[in-house]
Amino acid sequence: MNAHDTDTKLRGPAVWALVLTGVASFMAALDNLVVTTALPAIREDLGGRLEDLEWTVNAYTLTFAVLLMFGAALGDRFGRRRLFIAGLAVFTGASAAAALSPGIDALIAARAVQGVGAAIMMPLTLTLLTAAVPAARRGMALGIYGAVTGLAVASGPLIGGSLTEHISWQWIFWLNVPIGLALIPLARLRLAESTAPGARLDIPGTLLISGGLFGIVYALVNANSEGWTSAPVLTGLIVGAALVGGFIRHGFTNANPMLPMRLFQNRGFLGINVASLLMFLGMFGSIFLLSQFLQGVAGYSPTEAGLRMLPWTGMPMVVAPLAGILSDRIGGRPVVAAGLAFQALGLGWFAAVLSTDVSYVAQLPPLILSGIGMALYFAPAANVLMSTVAPADQGRASGTNNALREVGGALGVAVLASVFSAQGGYESPQAFTDGTIPALWIGAGAVALAACFALLLPRRAKSAPVPVAVGAGATPEKVPAAR
């Protein structure tokens, strides 16, 4: 092998790191959407109300979101490989518990534990990968890593639908078990250990934001069944809002908070993060309802429903590379704003054509338009985000954006399902449609508002190093940006 070959190829340790972190991130990202097409089967098998179905999704996304930066800080302090393996073990065990769940409450509890495992495991994958790959090849490795994660998002509804239809819904969770059991010893043998000296854990901040978000989401999920003025709902809203306010104050006054609020004083950082939260609110909430509409009203099987979602969830795999090139030429702001506008138009179009007898031909254009919009948003978003902060803050910035996306997804399911249950329900195809249409309009409005916040972004994104950690005490290493 000559010098040129050495420079352009990944060596053994780097290949192992790419495979292990890529597969782990695929599993965690897949579980964000794999449940959506299985929801009707879970409801038929285990019973439960709409609120219970919401929690099968939100129990995972909420624990994932609020513990993401804390999990990274644990790895920085106690060993990234050690905590990656621990998170993988928790995720694998919780997947088995979800598959064995005898009732809906047990499934929700297992999903929450899955989110804990993913929150510990996921932020460390990028750190471990970057440490193992030579600087000259990091762009390629991170590009492959990103493509694998994107593939998980694209294939989530299809994989969930296929397993549900041809085996059983339990296999959307059993699938993780043999993969996790194989990864654990390989990670122990093939990944190098590393720490970040001086890393600190922000336990008060973690408790404040965890309690606050749980209270708000609990209130939104139960508002229609218990009443907006009921004691549990009002308590959840008031206490939740107070705890989130305490978290914000903590971010201003604490010497080393998990999320320094000073970052939001930058207009671009505020714009991309609020846009990300609103985009995921509209997108996840809409997918939660549309995946059920395709089965319960349109009459498709779980596999057919998953396939019919691909023009939306799979379009980023096709369009994102072109969107990345476009953002390099004209800047990230117009591409992100246009993408969010397309996503909003797609959801609005869907709401306008939806009916109990709507054909798939009528659904296809808004699905494609939404997929193109998603791709235009995702391609430049990371580079735009990193351009708004100093290199020393890029780890926190990356963790903040990932966490806010998950929070947006959880809020989206709660808000849009609340609108759905207030205007319709599961009683008949017409009732389901009557509830879905206004919920989609709310989703479209949220994404349209996200497009407005995208206009706060800087005109041209500066070249930014890729973040390698999201822990509170980690300092990102400067590596070539993956575009």
Side-chain angles (χ1 to χ4, degrees), residues 303-318:
T303 303
E304 291 170 339
L307 281 170
R308 281 161 175 77
M309 295 289 283
L310 277 178
W312 185 2
T313 59
M315 189 61 69
M317 298 294 292
V318 179

Side-chain angles (χ1 to χ4, degrees), residues 207-217 236 239-241 243-244:
L207 293 175
L208 285 169
I209 194 62
S210 300
L213 289 175
F214 176 81
I216 292 170
V217 171
V239 175
L243 290 174
V244 171

